[in-house]
Amino acid sequence: MFLHPAYNLSKFDEMPAKCPVCGQHYEPEVGFYWGAMYISYGLSVGVVVMVGLLLYFLAHDPPVWVYVAAVSITMLALTPLLFRYARTLMLYLFGGIRYNPTAAQLPAPNPKY
């Protein structure tokens, strides 16, 4: 779905216009991925809660600066992955697109439409 690796920080968000296998357009309508921000927010909240709970139980409630540093570093490291998962989930849940593992064996799509 994406043109470059997740940790190529200058290009991690670039997507092709359509699927090279089946020809499905990746943006069903203009502004479609704005909703992915809410999915990304939910995923980020989950990561923050998990990091906080792990620090609380494994590090025995360290000082606040440890929480802030750990959450900041974790979120910076996971931002490209969360971005991609949010877009993929948005397309799967609300774009009406389903993964077909046998699509590569199907005949090529008709380029007339």
Side-chain angles (χ1 to χ4, degrees):
M1 254 186 76
F2 293 91
L3 295 173
H4 303 284
Y7 287 105
N8 182 347
L9 297 180
S10 63
K11 299 179 182 182
F12 74 92
D13 60 341
E14 290 182 9
M15 296 174 68
K18 61 182 181 175
C19 177
V21 175
C22 67
Q24 172 71 45
H25 290 279
Y26 282 139
E27 191 166 357
E29 61 186 50
V30 176
F32 176 76
Y33 290 112
W34 286 13
M37 291 186 300
Y38 296 103
I39 295 172
S40 179
Y41 174 75
L43 294 172
S44 297
V45 167
V47 169
V48 168
V49 168
M50 288 300 295
V51 169
L53 289 173
L54 286 172
L55 281 173
Y56 182 80
F57 289 113
L58 298 179
H60 307 293
D61 196 17
V64 173
W65 72 268
V66 175
Y67 284 103
V68 172
V71 166
S72 299
I73 291 168
T74 303
M75 289 309 299
L76 282 174
L78 293 179
T79 294
L81 295 175
L82 293 176
F83 175 88
R84 287 178 170 218
Y85 286 136
R87 279 198 166 201
T88 303
L89 284 171
M90 184 71 182
L91 191 60
Y92 184 79
L93 295 174
F94 302 106
I97 296 173
R98 298 291 180 256
Y99 174 69
N100 182 0
T102 62
Q105 290 118 12
L106 298 174
N110 186 353
K112 293 182 182 179
Y113 58 91

